[in-house]
Every structure is written in structure tokens, then in C-alpha cells.
Amino acid sequence: MNREQVLQELKAIIEEYWSKENQSNVVNYVPAFELEKKENWSLNAPHHEQEILKDIEKYLHYAVRTEHPYFMNQLFGGFDLASWVGETIAALTNTSMATYEIAPLGSILEKTLIKKLNTMIGFRTLDNPGEGIMLTGGSNANLVAMLCARQKKFPKMKKEGLAGKKLSLFVSQDSHYSFSKNALVMGLGTNSVIKVAVDKKGQMLPEALEKEIRHSQERGEEPFFVCATAGTTVWGAFDPIKELLPIAKNHQLWFHIDGAWGGAAILSERFSFLLEGCEEADSFAWDIHKLMSASLISSFFLCRHSGILRETNSLTEGSYIFHEYENTSYDMGPYSLQCGRKVDSLGAWLAWRHHGDEGYQKMIDHLGELASYLVEKINRTPQLELIREPPFLNVCFRILDSLGKHNQLNLKVRQKLIETGTAMINYYSDKGVVFFRLILTNPQVKKCDLDQLLTKIIDMAE
Ligand SMILES: Cc1ncc(COP(=O)(O)O)c(C=O)c1O
């Protein structure tokens, strides 16, 4: 088959996939051990294009439909056409973001996005440009934040390593696990991550932070980093930036905001107050593939200080790729931990160009309205119990069992929802209580979808 024929066939397959969007199951669930054996997935013999197209149909058959209104399992979901087109074209042109030379417009668009995001959060002002980089996800953005913080406080560590020093960093008890992973990667040891207590709303307690920093100093450790989470993974809580920041500054610690999930709140009339004071932070992580429905991965590390990213990540090696030429300042490679890097900027840029600030504001405010609607509905439904008033778009609730076996019932219903392809909603267990963590991130979801979903859940429980 030539390219034209493959394209025609592929178009038909995609159209078929899209045509089923709302009627189909969220997933055609098959347990892993069965799927592995279901067919011959081996790589030994060559396969003709027709067979490859059949493989694609199989892939789509088993794929989880993350654009389905009842995919509420993760902090991403929905489908953004402009972003998808961008991803597809980026794959078509198949290059790396290392240098301007091989990714001319990709580099310009990434810089444009970074300027835009830095302006939104207040890092970029008339006399301060700010800087940033796209990377492989919020976890990686948090890693780069930790590396920049270490570079600022201990510049010699870039060459000499830890040299016997015990570093410590402070995150909320409910922060994302990436900080422990990053401590592991940086050789700090996971014990270096100090989990600060939170209040009943899941917000880090300023007095607990102060106490933990002092205790760490008393143990002879070297504190270097504080992170406020803007939208915790389970509860959607926002740590109080304005109260935490002065504590970090007082102790001369880098202040990072993990806005991987909640960064987009800055665009919303309803939620932007949750990020008040963020312009004074040192760095910020923001995944627009989460709340803003861009294709995975569209992730940013943003920094108020110009120069630190290059200072942290650049090496004297790599002269075979990084040259002095008229476009050197547009080469993104020296700012990145990666060498080869996909062009993520095209999809993200096209999506923003399509929606504009106003489109995103409406999108997030609509999701906020859905959250309030759902909470009200749960509170009015005797079979359901709201676990905690949601500060954002994470709605945590459980089904009540007349026999009192609440945990078993909730787990069973969740599993059945997946096995029947009805819905995918994640769960969490806090202090022995199992509950659904329903995420509102797909802007296509409507109130009637939520009505029907709750009915399905209750029917299944019964
Ligand atoms: C608060 C928070 N930070 C960071 C991350 C990691 O983001 P990513 O999955 O893009 O690495 C997540 C993921 O859910 C998150 O919830």
C-alpha cells in the first residue's frame, strides 16, 4: 500500500472510532493475562500494511476512551481537536526540540507558550522576562524545580555531588508522589522529603511548615526547597501560598508551586483566588494536558528567574549538537534534561490559539458549576455520602451500604463499572474509608451526564 491508501484507510478507521463516541463503552475490559494471550502480539515476522491497519483497529478496540463523558478516573480527560491535530502533525514531521536548527517553529511556539504562561502567573513582567521549558510531565517539572533550587543554594553540587550534605525539602502530606521519586533520582534519599501536616481541608499548615524546617535544621540537615501544591491529586486542595511563601523566604528556601493539576485555575473567575500570591514564587509546574484537555503530554516548568534553567541543565559537553550560531539563544536543548524531545508545543499552541483565554475561562468555570451541581445532587441522595466539600474539581463521595459494608460495596461497584464498560472513576482509601474520587476535567460533560451516571451507580449498587 502507498501512503495515500494508508491515509484513506486510516481516515475510515478514525471516523469509525469517533462515530461511536458517546454510545460506546468507556473500555472493552479484558484482564491483562487474557489480553496478553488473546492473539499473537509477537514481533518476529514482517507484516503488511493491511495487517498493521488491523492491529490499529485492535488497539482502538481495547483502548480506554478518555474522551468519554464517564471517564473520570484521572486528572486528564476529554478530547481537544486542535491539540490532537498538532500532535499528529508533530509526529508527521518527526523531529526533536534540541535545537532551533531542527525545530524552527516548534522552538518559537514553545517560547511563545512559556511567555504566555509566565505572564498569566505573573512571573513575566516589564522588567523580568522569566523562563521555562516543556517537559515529560508534572513529575518532571517538579524534578527540574528541585534541581534549580539545589543549583541556587548549592551551586558546587552540580559538579561535586552532595559531598556528604543531607538536604531536606518540604511538601504537604497530600502532595504528589513525584517529590519522593525525584529525591530518589537526585540521590537525596526519600527520607529527605518531609511531609508537612495539613488541616481538615487538606491545606498545608503554615505553623507545621515552620516547625518542620526548624526540626530539620536541628538535625543538621540543609533545607533547600518548599512546595505548595495547587490542586492536590486526591482532594484538589490548594495550599495557602500567601502564608507559606514568607516562611520559605525567611529561611531562604526556593518556593515552588506544583500546579500540575490546578495551575489552570488562574484562568478562571471562580477559582483564580486560590493561586493568590503565586507571582512571588520561584517556580511553577503546569500541565495543560490535565485541566485544559490538551493531548498528553503538554507540561511546563516555569521559572521567575532567568538564567537558572541553563545554569542547572547545561553542560560543556554536546558540542556536536550545540553550536554558536545566529540562533543559539533559541536552542532549547541547553535548558532541558532531555536531548531528543518531542515537539509538544504545536498541539498546545494550536489548542490555546483555538480556545483563547476566554474559551479556557468558560471551560473551567463550567467544570466548577458541574462540581457544585454534583455536590448538591450527592447531598440530596440518601444512598450517597459526600466525603469532603470539594475546593476544586475533585468530588469525593461513597455509596452507603444498608448492611454497613461500605468499603466492600464501593470497591465492588467500581470494579463492575469498569468490567461492564459503564464508567471509570478512581477510588482512594483515607483512614480506612474507601470512596470514589470523581474528576471533572472533560469540558464536554453536561449536568444530564452526571444525573445519568449517579443513577447508574446507584442501580449497580442495588
Ligand atoms: C499534583 C500533581 N502533581 C504532579 C503530577 C504528575 O504529573 P504527570 O502525570 O504529568 O507527571 C500529578 C499527577 O497526577 C499531580 O496530581
Side-chain angles (χ1 to χ4, degrees), residues 234-235 407 411 427-436:
V234 174
W235 304 104
N407 287 357
L411 288 172
Y427 76 96
Y428 188 66
S429 171
D430 183 49
K431 300 185 191 89
V433 174
V434 171
F435 55 86
F436 284 92

Side-chain angles (χ1 to χ4, degrees), residues 39-174:
E39 303 207 24
N40 181 3
W41 307 115
S42 82
L43 292 167
N44 300 337
H47 289 76
H48 189 263
E49 285 87 349
Q50 279 293 1
E51 293 168 293
I52 297 295
L53 288 162
K54 286 267 165 279
D55 289 339
I56 291 172
E57 286 179 320
K58 279 178 212 154
Y59 179 85
L60 289 175
H61 178 75
Y62 293 110
V64 173
R65 281 183 173 266
T66 58
E67 93 279 28
H68 194 290
Y70 295 159
F71 175 81
M72 294 164 154
N73 199 61
Q74 232 87 4
L75 302 179
F76 61 84
F79 177 80
D80 190 291
L81 188 62
S83 175
W84 175 74
V85 170
E87 286 289 304
T88 311
I89 299 301
L92 174 75
T93 55
N94 196 35
T95 190
S96 162
M97 282 297 295
T99 58
Y100 175 87
E101 197 169 74
I102 49 169
L105 199 49
S107 307
I108 303 284
L109 298 183
E110 183 162 324
K111 278 183 175 283
T112 306
L113 281 156
I114 288 161
K115 280 183 195 161
K116 173 72 182 170
L117 268 59
N118 270 336
T119 306
M120 304 233 65
I121 57 171
F123 282 0
R124 184 177 171 82
T125 56
L126 280 179
D127 48 7
N128 185 53
E131 63 179 4
I133 191 84
M134 290 190 81
L135 20 68
T136 59
S139 305
N140 203 243
N142 291 337
L143 170 65
V144 172
M146 287 165 64
L147 285 167
C148 287
R150 190 180 74 177
Q151 179 66 23
K152 177 98 186 294
K153 189 141 192 176
F154 305 104
K156 284 190 182 160
M157 281 187 188
K158 184 171 177 184
K159 274 195 179 165
E160 297 171 8
L162 296 172
K165 278 201 164 52
K166 268 184 87 72
L167 270 51
S168 62
L169 60 137
F170 305 83
V171 298
S172 110
Q173 248 172 22
D174 291 346

Side-chain angles (χ1 to χ4, degrees), residues 73 410-418 425-427:
N73 199 61
N410 281 271
L411 288 172
K412 233 177 178 172
V413 169
R414 180 189 187 250
Q415 189 55 27
K416 272 273 171 248
L417 286 171
I418 294 177
I425 310 168
N426 227 326
Y427 76 96

Side-chain angles (χ1 to χ4, degrees), residues 74-76 135-142 174-179 229-234 237 258-262 285-287 289-290 296-299 394 437:
Q74 232 87 4
L75 302 179
F76 61 84
L135 20 68
T136 59
S139 305
N140 203 243
N142 291 337
D174 291 346
S175 63
H176 189 252
Y177 69 78
S178 50
F179 294 98
T229 306
T232 55
T233 313
V234 174
D258 178 3
W261 168 225
W286 185 347
D287 281 356
H289 62 256
K290 289 195 164 72
L296 282 102
I297 297 286
S298 299
S299 183
N394 310 34
R437 182 207 60 171

Side-chain angles (χ1 to χ4, degrees), residues 34 100-101 187 204 207 253 264 300 303-304 316 379 409:
E34 262 183 50
Y100 175 87
E101 197 169 74
M204 193 197 284
E207 58 277 20
L253 310 181
F300 292 85
C303 188
R304 189 159 57 84
T316 48
N379 284 334
L409 179 67

Side-chain angles (χ1 to χ4, degrees), residues 10-64:
L10 204 50
K11 182 168 172 281
I13 292 173
I14 294 171
E15 279 170 353
E16 167 73 7
Y17 179 73
W18 280 344
S19 73
K20 292 182 186 155
E21 189 173 313
N22 282 324
Q23 311 89 291
S24 71
N25 288 347
V26 175
V27 60
N28 295 313
Y29 177 76
V30 181
F33 63 90
E34 262 183 50
L35 186 55
E36 197 173 24
K37 295 202 184 103
K38 209 164 180 72
E39 303 207 24
N40 181 3
W41 307 115
S42 82
L43 292 167
N44 300 337
H47 289 76
H48 189 263
E49 285 87 349
Q50 279 293 1
E51 293 168 293
I52 297 295
L53 288 162
K54 286 267 165 279
D55 289 339
I56 291 172
E57 286 179 320
K58 279 178 212 154
Y59 179 85
L60 289 175
H61 178 75
Y62 293 110
V64 173

